[in-house]
């Protein structure tokens, strides 16, 4: 595990700061919660048409679990891994902003898709799942963009 989180005891060139750790947590929690949601919904879909699967409770539990999981993992990471870590600096702010801008693309695509689906009167199951997928892909893309920026630097425009 120390190879993943670069734990050496003191902060050096390859150590992970709190913002980078937070990006890893977001990536892992998003993938895990959406994966569990898909497993539950697709499991129920084996015995009935997918559009008729009762998805709302599973979606709400998945979202709530992701929020709580993210908070707990960030707290644990802060307590266990980041003794004496520096505070957020200008580079962290720029990487955060870059990642969020990159991640917004899936929200825009999902929003347009949902508008078209609503106009076509597509069943609520598909609309809700498109929104949830857009948020999930946005979080994954934002996290990956942040992690790449931490490892390779911000792109020069």
């Amino acid at each position: 595990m120390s190879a993943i989180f670069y734990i050496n005891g003191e902060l050096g060139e390859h150590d992970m700061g709190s913002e980078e750790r937070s990006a890893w947590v977001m990536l892992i929690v998003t993938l895990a919660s959406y994966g569990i949601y898909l497993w539950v919904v697709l499991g129920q879909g084996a015995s009935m048409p997918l559009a008729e699967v009762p998805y709302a409770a599973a979606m709400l539990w998945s979202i709530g679990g992701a929020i709580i999981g993210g908070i707990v993992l960030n707290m644990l990471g802060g307590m266990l891994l980041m003794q004496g870590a520096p505070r957020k600096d200008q580079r962290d702010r720029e990487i955060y902003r870059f990642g969020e801008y990159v991640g917004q693309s899936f929200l825009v695509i999902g929003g347009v898709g949902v508008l078209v689906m609503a106009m076509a009167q597509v069943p609520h199951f598909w609309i809700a799942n498109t929104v949830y997928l857009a948020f999930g892909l946005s979080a994954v893309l934002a996290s990956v963009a942040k992690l790449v920026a931490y490892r390779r630097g911000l792109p020069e425009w």
Side-chain angles (χ1 to χ4, degrees):
M1 185 151 174
S2 63
I4 294 172
F5 292 111
Y6 306 99
I7 302 169
N8 320 1
E10 60 185 66
L11 212 56
E13 182 181 339
H14 298 292
D15 289 315
M16 184 180 303
S18 63
E19 294 299 312
E20 185 179 359
R21 185 193 69 243
S22 181
W24 275 109
V25 167
M26 176 64 87
L27 178 63
I28 292 166
V29 166
T30 301
L31 291 173
S33 65
Y34 193 76
I36 292 169
Y37 170 76
L38 281 179
W39 179 65
V40 169
V41 169
L42 293 176
Q44 292 177 353
S47 61
M48 66 180 73
L50 202 52
E52 295 176 15
V53 170
Y55 65 91
M59 187 179 287
L60 291 173
W61 278 105
S62 172
I63 294 168
I67 291 169
I68 292 170
I71 291 169
V72 169
L73 287 174
N74 274 310
M75 286 175 52
L76 286 174
M79 290 187 307
L80 300 176
L81 301 176
M82 299 308 296
Q83 302 300 326
R87 301 260 182 221
K88 185 175 3 179
D89 61 10
Q90 183 63 30
R91 178 176 177 258
D92 289 321
R93 287 185 204 94
E94 289 176 11
I95 288 174
Y96 177 82
R97 189 175 311 125
F98 168 72
E100 292 302 308
Y101 286 159
V102 170
Q104 293 297 317
S105 61
F106 275 110
L107 288 181
V108 172
I109 293 167
V112 170
V114 166
L115 282 174
V116 170
M117 293 169 84
M119 288 178 209
Q121 298 180 350
V122 173
H124 291 145
F125 173 87
W126 298 110
I127 293 172
N129 279 283
T130 300
V131 170
Y132 190 32
L133 177 63
F135 275 107
L137 290 175
S138 173
V140 167
L141 184 60
S143 296
V144 169
K146 290 173 192 175
L147 294 171
V148 169
Y150 273 111
R151 296 295 164 199
R152 297 194 179 150
L154 286 168
E156 294 184 27
W157 306 102

